[in-house]
Amino acid sequence: QVQLVESGGGLVQAGGSLRLSCAASGGTFSQYHMGWFRQAPGKEREFVVGITRSGITTPYVDSVQGRFTISKDIAKNTVYLQMNRLKPEDTAVYYCAAETNWDNLRKGFSSYWGQGTQVTVSA
């Protein structure tokens, strides 16, 4: 049973930065594709960015390109989301996900999810 625990969310002003962390346990970390999703009130959950088992990064929201960077540390079983130049429209609950099948991860059908961490960006 894989467990994912997010941390690093909080309240920041527009233009600020946050780094989210997702610590994984209970499985073989190198066997999973990892991703970050977010959901704002009244909106659908969206796939923000993912990283494959081999380390390929794939952004899925144009608005975050150049501002958000995903990375992982295999030794620490942890994936990160560095968020720079934050905007009010980035406000959402951010979720970490793990899945061995990339298409399932992309579609939001991940086997494992974190509890979510709130990111609030004030104007």
Side-chain angles (χ1 to χ4, degrees):
Q1 185 72 34
V2 174
Q3 292 185 331
L4 305 174
V5 180
E6 301 106 329
S7 62
L11 173 65
V12 299
Q13 292 188 352
S17 298
L18 286 172
R19 189 175 78 158
L20 307 184
S21 298
C22 174
S25 62
T28 303
F29 186 68
S30 62
Q31 296 298 309
Y32 290 89
H33 307 295
M34 305 293 294
W36 288 97
F37 291 74
R38 68 184 182 185
Q39 186 167 24
K43 296 184 178 180
E44 295 182 358
R45 183 174 59 189
E46 61 181 354
F47 185 17
V48 178
V49 62
I51 185 166
T52 69
R53 289 188 290 258
S54 62
I56 300 171
T57 59
T58 304
Y60 280 86
V61 179
D62 289 342
S63 63
V64 311
Q65 292 196 50
R67 299 190 298 119
F68 290 11
T69 303
I70 189 171
S71 62
K72 61 180 178 181
D73 187 332
I74 300 298
K76 295 182 178 180
N77 290 348
T78 300
V79 62
Y80 304 95
L81 182 64
Q82 179 65 47
M83 310 164 70
N84 297 325
R85 306 200 313 279
L86 284 160
K87 303 175 180 179
E89 52 262 44
D90 295 320
T91 295
V93 177
Y94 284 72
Y95 298 91
C96 178
E99 170 57 47
T100 57
N101 182 281
W102 177 257
D103 282 340
N104 285 342
L105 175 68
R106 176 180 60 82
K107 295 174 182 179
F109 301 146
S110 295
S111 296
Y112 303 101
W113 294 89
Q115 82 287 350
T117 185
Q118 177 71 49
V119 172
T120 302
V121 185
S122 62

